[in-house]
């Protein structure tokens, strides 16, 4: 769902009637999916790496969000104004991560 929402997000403004309501729904869906990541990551980290060093391992996994934020900020700055391409890249990275994890 996260990738689908990212791919379709730039096209929400093209909707003629109810664009503001759909925009609000899309933003809420994005944040709901993001909160799901923060709920599932500790359990997944504990299950994959074991409970012995769970706090240290989760700290290392959680620090990936900081690195990802810096990389995404760099992409956003370079692609400013090219929103369809930016969201397509973000959605593609999500799909690549999905297929790499399965």
């Amino acid at each position: 769902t996260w990738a689908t929402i990212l791919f379709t997000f730039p096209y929400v403004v093209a909707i003629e009637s109810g664009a503001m309501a759909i925009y609000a729904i899309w933003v809420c869906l994005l944040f709901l999916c993001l909160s799901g990541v923060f709920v599932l990551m500790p359990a997944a980290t504990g299950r994959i790496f074991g409970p012995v060093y769970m706090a240290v391992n989760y700290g290392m996994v959680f620090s990936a969000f900081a690195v990802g934020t810096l990389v995404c900020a760099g992409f956003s700055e370079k692609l400013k104004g090219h929103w369809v391409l930016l969201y397509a890249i973000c959605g593609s990275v999500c799909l690549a991560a999905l297929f790499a994890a399965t």
Side-chain angles (χ1 to χ4, degrees):
T1 44
W2 179 264
T4 304
I5 297 169
L6 283 175
F7 279 124
T8 58
F9 192 69
Y11 301 106
V12 170
V13 295
I15 299 171
E16 293 181 14
S17 78
M20 292 300 286
I22 294 174
Y23 176 81
I25 291 169
W26 248 241
V27 170
C28 288
L29 287 173
L30 281 169
F31 280 104
L32 283 172
C33 289
L34 183 64
S35 64
V37 169
F38 288 111
V39 169
L40 295 175
M41 286 301 286
T45 303
R47 186 171 184 174
I48 292 170
F49 299 111
V52 177
Y53 298 107
M54 180 12 197
V56 173
N57 290 335
Y58 182 65
M60 295 172 77
V61 169
F62 190 77
S63 66
F65 285 107
V67 175
T69 300
L70 293 174
V71 170
C72 188
F75 274 113
S76 297
E77 184 63 31
K78 296 290 183 195
L79 296 173
K80 191 180 287 184
H82 302 284
W83 303 115
V84 175
L85 178 61
L86 179 66
Y87 283 102
I89 290 172
C90 290
S92 299
V93 169
C94 289
L95 287 178
L98 173 69
F99 291 127
T102 54

